[in-house]
């Protein structure tokens, strides 16, 4: 069962949540921050503190994520899910504008990578630690819009900033679209 971390009761209706997201300037951007397998126990045992060189627990992640959401002026839903099928179902059913994920123990899943590749919204992958320093890789990195790692809890803030930026029209200002191939001249 997914752990929902809202800072408010998870029993609130979607209508109430959507109403809160509307401001005088129109609807606020909505982000999903989705943490994967094992993040619910990080920092809670000596083994995880040693493995991740951190005492941060899920509640610390939640506070940072909600603080970043307030700074960015966005609505956020922070969810932690250990089960791959539930994780994929949550991604496929996401109604938020953009997604920030730390797949954690699910980062080696090709099924998860295929799911993300099929999404039409920006997905930013974040990690607390530096995967490259540990000679680890994530299969989902290649299909995500961006990859941020090693900035500890700040990785989430940076990921959320990148997700919001990806939603802005100005994000494509320097994108290059090559011209179509030219037609061969008649009689060539």
């Amino acid at each position: 069962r997914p752990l929902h971390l809202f800072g408010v009761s998870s029993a609130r209706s979607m209508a109430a949540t959507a109403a809160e997201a509307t401001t005088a300037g129109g609807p606020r951007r909505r982000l999903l921050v989705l943490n994967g397998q094992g993040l619910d126990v990080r920092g809670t045992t000596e083994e995880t503190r040693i493995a991740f060189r951190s005492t941060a627990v899920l509640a610390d992640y939640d506070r940072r994520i909600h603080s970043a959401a307030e700074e960015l002026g966005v609505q956020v839903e922070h969810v932690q899910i250990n089960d791959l099928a539930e994780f994929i179902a949550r991604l496929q059913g996401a109604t938020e504008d953009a997604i920030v994920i730390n797949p954690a123990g699910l980062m080696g899943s090709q099924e998860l990578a295929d799911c993300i590749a099929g999404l039409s919204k920006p997905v930013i992958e974040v990690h607390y630690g530096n995967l490259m320093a540990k000679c680890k890789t994530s299969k989902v990195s290649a299909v995500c819009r961006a990859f941020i790692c090693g900035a500890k809890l700040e990785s989430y803030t940076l990921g959320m900033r990148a997700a919001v930026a990806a939603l802005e029209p100005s994000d494509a200002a320097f994108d290059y679209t090559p011209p179509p191939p030219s037609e061969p001249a008649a009689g060539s």
Side-chain angles (χ1 to χ4, degrees), residues 44-160:
T44 62
T45 66
E46 188 65 15
E47 180 184 353
T48 63
R49 289 188 286 272
I50 290 169
F52 297 99
R53 297 185 177 123
S54 172
T55 60
V57 296
L58 195 56
D60 298 316
Y61 287 71
D62 189 57
R63 277 190 292 280
R64 175 56 67 94
I65 289 162
H66 280 89
S67 174
E70 189 174 315
E71 289 173 24
L72 293 168
V74 298
Q75 180 184 2
V76 67
E77 180 177 349
H78 176 206
V79 181
Q80 188 280 322
I81 301 174
N82 286 317
D83 181 75
L84 176 61
E86 288 182 48
F87 197 91
I88 288 172
R90 180 60 181 93
L91 283 172
Q92 290 173 332
T95 58
E96 293 81 7
D97 301 306
I99 302 166
V100 175
I101 64 163
N102 180 344
L106 304 174
M107 70 184 183
S109 168
Q110 186 60 51
E111 189 178 354
L112 178 57
D114 293 344
C115 167
I116 293 168
L119 297 176
S120 60
K121 55 187 74 187
V123 179
I124 313 297
E125 182 180 4
V126 301
H127 291 275
Y128 181 95
N130 182 346
L131 297 182
M132 279 58 102
K134 296 178 181 182
C135 297
K136 292 187 177 184
T137 58
S138 169
K139 286 190 176 183
V140 303
S141 299
V143 294
C144 287
R145 168 81 180 227
F147 175 80
I148 300 167
C149 73
K152 300 184 179 183
L153 291 178
E154 189 64 17
S155 294
Y156 287 85
T157 303
L158 296 170
M160 292 168 68

